[in-house]
Amino acid sequence: MGRRVPVGRRQLLAEPAKLATAVVAVAAAVALVLILNGLRRGIGEQVTLYLDRQPPVLVGQPGIRDFQSQTSVVGPQAAARVARVPGVADAAPITQGYAMLGLHRKRVLTLLVGYDDGRRGGPWQIAQGRPPTAQNEIVLDRVLAGEHRLAVGSTLRFRGTELRIVGLSRGTSGFMTPLAFTTRQTANALNQMSDGATFLLVTPAPGVTPQALARRIATDVPEVSAQLRETLAANDRSLFVGSFSGALLAMVAIAAAAGVSVIAITIYSGMRDRSGEYATLKAIGLGRRPLLRVVAMQAVTLAAAGTALGVGIAFGAARGVEELAPKYLIALSAGDAGRMALAAAGFALLAGLVPARYLANLDPAAAFHR
Amino acid sequence: MSTRAPSAVPIARRQLQWRPGRTLAGVAGIAVALLLVIALNAIFAGVEDRLTGYIDATGSSVIVAQEGVQTMHMSESALPAAAVDDVRAVDGVEAAEGILYRSAFAEGGTRGGSGVVALIGGGPVPGLFNGRRPGPGEVVIDRVLADRLGIGLGGVVSLLGTRLRVSGQVEGTAGITNSFAFVTRPTMERIARVTGVVSYVLVDAGPGVDEGTLASRIVQDVPGISASTRRAFAASERRVIGDMTTDVVRGMTLAAFVIGVAVAGLVAFSQTLRQLRDFGVLRALGMDAGRAVLLALAQVVALVVAAFGAALALTELLAAVLPRLSPTLVLSIRAGDVALAAAVAGAVAIAAATLPVIRVIRIEPAGVFRRAS
């Protein structure tokens, strides 16, 4: 009988509305877990948006370990000495730092980079307008500008200075720190710095490896510290992502618990509702194992359907966010979907434990009592 | 919460108690969904509270910054050092002290750890519980950072490429991104390579001087600055987190709503299906449709209310447990956030009750006897 009658499937499909609700609930939990993980990874990718497009060696003040969250000052003499180190093709000075803009009564954090016209460090793609060339000119990320209805020609007041938007950049958006660009002269003036820079972007001469060049700079110019771009990027990622990891992981755990609850409730309530049917099956000779298989099949089916829908929702949400709110990056991959499917199978088995125990203890004679 | 039949039988309660396992599972499922809203808000509120730990503890009446600057974290403020004297000269100012604020990477100790610190040069050292204020070439660090680095009093920390001896430890300044560290202003000027500049001016008002009035007076008398009362400055600082996380909170609230509705709907719907015959009997015995609907609603509301209480209790539990696992992960439960979760719970109850109510309305009282015959 167990081989021919699809008991599990029929029971699942007996109440389609209930099944659909359960699948939607599991899908919501799965999508939430995926989106949170994708957001976490997206933050990591966005944080190094600027560094990823810069030369492989950066020079700053001794003790620098990251790019964004640390003070660094490199004086003009030190910058000149670095530029003269054999193997340095170019050492472009920049003055960067967080800029907390007040836009429409909201605090908007940006990374403001001041660079020298015609040298490395500026925006890599201008969507509209032109790069900044004169004092108090600024280029804003176009997504950020769009959110606050700012356009080329608009002005914004920052730290007591009227900055004129002369261009909008593309590919510079980010949830935590969208990019803005100005001249180094402007950035220095805002910081009351007479001259100098916070970092030098160092391009090695052909045939010189970044590692060798960093070592040579450290030896020849002891008043600065030379770091590989990858090292600084990794530390920035670790700092930003690590800061939010605890909170995000707590949310992921709660969402996963919600998924387990939904599967457990559905399977358990369905089983209690059909305890008479199960007792009858037991009474006519169906063994414990086939019955457990029925439960496992229902739990896994529910998890699989919920996961498939949840993965679809997550990827759809990622695409929708990309279109509607491009400052957020939800970085999802097929690997994430695969890992989620495995986790969901685990959830299903976990959720099936209680019903399985109930089923194992079900008295076949109950079929006749009823 | 139970709706009573004319004979005063607590039907709703009995129906919920009939399958306690399922009722409890439903409560747990909805509670987990509501927990998403309450816990997330509590986490962000905790971050906000920690963010202003230093500002609150300075005890200053007014905080002066560069014009347009009203925050400290992830912000830059630069004022000419002469501005401190200008502020001090304003009528009603009892004391004014310039501080330098820089972000730095701290390394050293026996554990090979590191951490970002908000390094303050000059001003008060609030929360000092071990050791003494920093002298030249010395630093005071937070207990959390000291534990992470494995550094005690007398140990050496490297900041901005300079080795500084730890003269004391503070507590209560560590947040999820950084903690505070304190040096003298001359030490800061040397290691951060700045001269003639301060970041902020901490101002004490004279006796009987209103803080708000003093802030306005400073803005009027000293050009190129912003002046806010300490409370206003702290509120502005907290808004940074709120402004940055609004969308994330909205998304999470929506997800919690969907999961909550699905779980509550699932439980309520399956219970109602199971109880259709009971409802039919009650209707046949004279219960009107309105009362039957109330009975179905009462069950859903009872589930959601219980879940809301459970979610609050779970958040309290997390607030007690999480800081022990990670000292910087502090949860702060605020009335406004609880009200938001209550609103979500209310919406969940209404949405989840829709299907059961429709089924109950459609019950034909006579049907139960036909089926029974």
Side-chain angles (χ1 to χ4, degrees):
Chain A
M1 178 179 149
R3 287 176 194 162
R4 293 186 184 172
V5 182
V7 178
R9 195 177 70 204
R10 285 186 184 172
Q11 286 180 338
L12 262 183
L13 296 175
E15 288 164 15
K18 197 168 143 187
L19 176 65
T21 312
V23 169
V24 167
V26 175
V30 165
L32 189 59
V33 170
L34 281 172
I35 289 170
L36 286 173
N37 268 326
L39 191 63
R40 180 171 171 267
R41 192 177 310 133
I43 290 172
E45 289 184 17
Q46 286 182 329
V47 160
T48 60
L49 197 63
Y50 181 78
L51 268 187
D52 292 342
R53 285 161 182 80
Q54 302 313 320
V57 178
L58 281 90
V59 168
Q61 183 172 342
I64 55 156
R65 292 292 179 270
D66 76 322
F67 180 68
Q68 291 203 14
S69 300
Q70 186 173 26
T71 302
S72 167
V73 177
V74 180
Q77 291 84 7
R81 289 187 64 190
V82 170
R84 287 197 297 271
V85 170
V88 172
D90 182 47
I94 58 163
T95 296
Q96 47 68 249
Y98 290 130
M100 190 71 77
L101 304 178
L103 300 172
H104 293 107
R105 296 185 178 182
K106 274 187 87 174
R107 304 269 179 274
V108 180
L109 182 67
T110 62
L111 181 68
L112 179 65
V113 182
Y115 72 105
D116 290 350
D117 186 26
R119 301 195 67 176
R120 293 293 297 261
W124 42 92
Q125 204 177 353
I126 293 286
Q128 202 183 337
R130 59 170 176 79
T133 53
Q135 181 94 10
N136 298 344
E137 290 185 343
I138 189 170
V139 163
L140 272 191
D141 169 64
R142 73 182 180 100
V143 175
L144 173 67
E147 277 182 349
H148 296 277
R149 294 178 192 161
L150 293 168
V152 173
S154 306
T155 58
L156 61 92
R157 197 161 175 80
F158 174 59
R159 294 170 71 182
T161 302
E162 206 77 34
L163 299 175
R164 195 162 69 87
I165 299 171
V166 295
L168 302 179
S169 57
R170 190 192 297 275
T172 49
S173 152
F175 157 44
M176 302 290 283
T177 50
L179 300 177
F181 301 89
T182 186
T183 63
R184 186 162 63 95
Q185 192 188 12
T186 306
N188 282 348
L190 287 168
N191 291 326
Q192 304 268 334
M193 276 170 71
S194 54
D195 199 0
T198 54
F199 282 95
L200 304 176
L201 306 174
V202 179
T203 308
V208 180
T209 65
Q211 291 82 355
L213 186 58
R215 281 196 298 272
R216 200 178 296 166
I217 292 170
T219 309
D220 291 2
V221 192
E223 66 266 37
V224 298
S225 170
Q227 295 284 340
L228 295 179
R229 182 189 60 201
E230 279 76 18
T231 306
L232 296 179
N235 286 339
D236 273 343
R237 259 195 300 274
S238 161
L239 185 66
F240 272 78
V241 178
S243 299
F244 287 90
S245 278
L248 284 177
L249 287 177
M251 290 297 113
V252 166
I254 295 171
V260 173
S261 301
V262 170
I263 299 172
I265 291 168
T266 309
I267 302 298
Y268 180 69
S269 64
M271 192 169 305
R272 290 298 301 245
D273 290 347
R274 294 193 182 85
S275 56
E277 295 173 22
Y278 286 116
T280 304
L281 288 170
K282 261 190 153 180
I284 61 175
L286 197 63
R288 194 172 143 186
R289 283 192 167 200
L291 275 177
L292 289 177
R293 264 205 301 276
V294 168
V295 175
M297 187 280 281
Q298 290 184 357
V300 169
T301 303
L302 196 56
T307 303
L309 183 61
V311 167
I313 291 172
F315 276 87
R319 179 65 65 85
V321 164
E322 196 180 317
E323 293 293 324
L324 300 172
K327 70 176 178 179
Y328 296 101
L329 175 63
I330 298 173
L332 293 176
S333 65
D336 293 329
R339 277 187 290 277
M340 192 65 238
L342 280 178
F347 294 169
L349 293 177
L350 187 66
L353 280 180
V354 175
R357 192 159 167 265
Y358 168 77
L359 207 58
N361 296 331
L362 186 65
D363 181 6
F368 303 107
H369 298 324
R370 294 170 72 89
Chain B
M1 188 47 63
S2 58
T3 301
R4 287 170 187 265
S7 55
V9 178
I11 300 169
R13 196 176 71 205
R14 287 188 182 173
Q15 283 180 329
L16 284 171
Q17 286 174 341
W18 182 56
R19 287 278 162 84
R22 179 156 53 188
T23 302
L24 281 176
V27 168
I30 303 164
V32 169
L34 294 176
L35 186 63
L36 281 171
V37 178
I38 306 179
L40 184 73
N41 278 310
I43 287 171
F44 284 137
V47 171
E48 285 179 7
D49 287 350
R50 281 296 177 109
L51 207 60
T52 58
Y54 166 72
I55 296 164
D56 295 336
T58 59
S60 305
S61 312
V62 173
I63 296 176
V64 175
Q66 186 174 2
E67 186 181 342
V69 178
Q70 281 189 313
T71 49
M72 193 171 276
H73 275 87
M74 296 183 286
S75 304
E76 303 214 15
S77 172
L79 294 165
V84 181
D85 292 330
D86 294 342
V87 170
R88 201 174 283 135
V90 173
D91 187 31
V93 171
E94 186 171 81
E97 183 172 11
I99 60 164
L100 272 165
Y101 173 95
R102 290 289 185 274
S103 191
F105 219 79
E107 293 172 302
T110 54
R111 295 189 186 143
S114 61
V116 173
V117 295
L119 188 59
I120 302 286
V125 182
L128 185 68
F129 77 97
N130 191 12
R132 56 175 171 74
R133 287 175 59 91
E138 292 180 336
V139 64
V140 168
I141 60 175
D142 193 278
R143 181 212 295 255
V144 172
L145 179 66
D147 288 346
R148 190 187 300 165
L149 300 180
I151 286 183
L153 293 185
V156 173
V157 175
S158 182
L159 283 160
L160 298 172
T162 305
R163 289 162 61 80
L164 301 170
R165 191 163 297 281
V166 176
S167 70
Q169 290 183 353
V170 292
E171 57 185 355
T173 74
I176 59 166
T177 54
N178 64 8
S179 60
F180 276 74
F182 302 88
V183 293
T184 64
R185 208 169 110 198
T187 300
M188 179 71 125
E189 287 176 343
R190 178 169 59 85
I191 67 175
R193 302 175 176 183
V194 287
T195 48
V197 174
V198 296
S199 305
Y200 301 91
V201 185
L202 306 180
V203 180
D204 291 338
V209 178
D210 177 68
E211 294 174 350
T213 308
L214 183 60
S216 305
R217 203 180 293 159
I218 293 171
V219 170
Q220 205 171 4
D221 291 0
V222 184
I225 56 109
S226 292
S228 326
T229 64
R230 176 168 47 84
R231 285 180 186 80
F233 192 90
S236 172
E237 185 87 344
R238 279 193 292 271
R239 269 180 49 206
V240 171
I241 297 296
D243 286 350
M244 286 175 74
T245 56
T246 305
D247 293 339
V248 175
V249 170
R250 277 186 195 149
M252 199 68 75
T253 306
L254 179 68
F257 174 73
V258 171
I259 295 173
V261 168
V263 175
L266 201 64
V267 175
F269 188 57
S270 59
Q271 285 203 162
T272 308
L273 281 183
R274 185 76 195 166
Q275 293 160 359
L276 277 180
R277 186 178 162 77
D278 301 346
F279 278 109
V281 170
L282 289 167
R283 292 289 308 280
L285 290 174
M287 180 184 272
D288 59 39
R291 194 169 282 271
V293 165
L294 276 180
L295 187 59
L297 269 177
Q299 292 188 44
V300 178
V301 170
L303 276 175
V304 174
V305 168
F308 182 71
L312 268 183
L314 279 170
T315 310
E316 292 280 3
L317 184 68
L318 285 176
V321 171
L322 285 181
R324 295 180 189 201
L325 302 175
S326 168
T328 58
L329 195 54
V330 178
L331 274 68
S332 176
I333 303 166
R334 293 179 181 168
D337 298 333
V338 173
L340 172 70
V344 172
V348 164
I350 291 168
T354 308
L355 271 181
V357 163
I358 291 171
R359 292 300 294 263
V360 168
I361 289 172
R362 285 180 179 168
I363 288 174
E364 192 189 339
V368 62
F369 300 109
R370 278 202 294 272
R371 218 182 287 173
S373 62

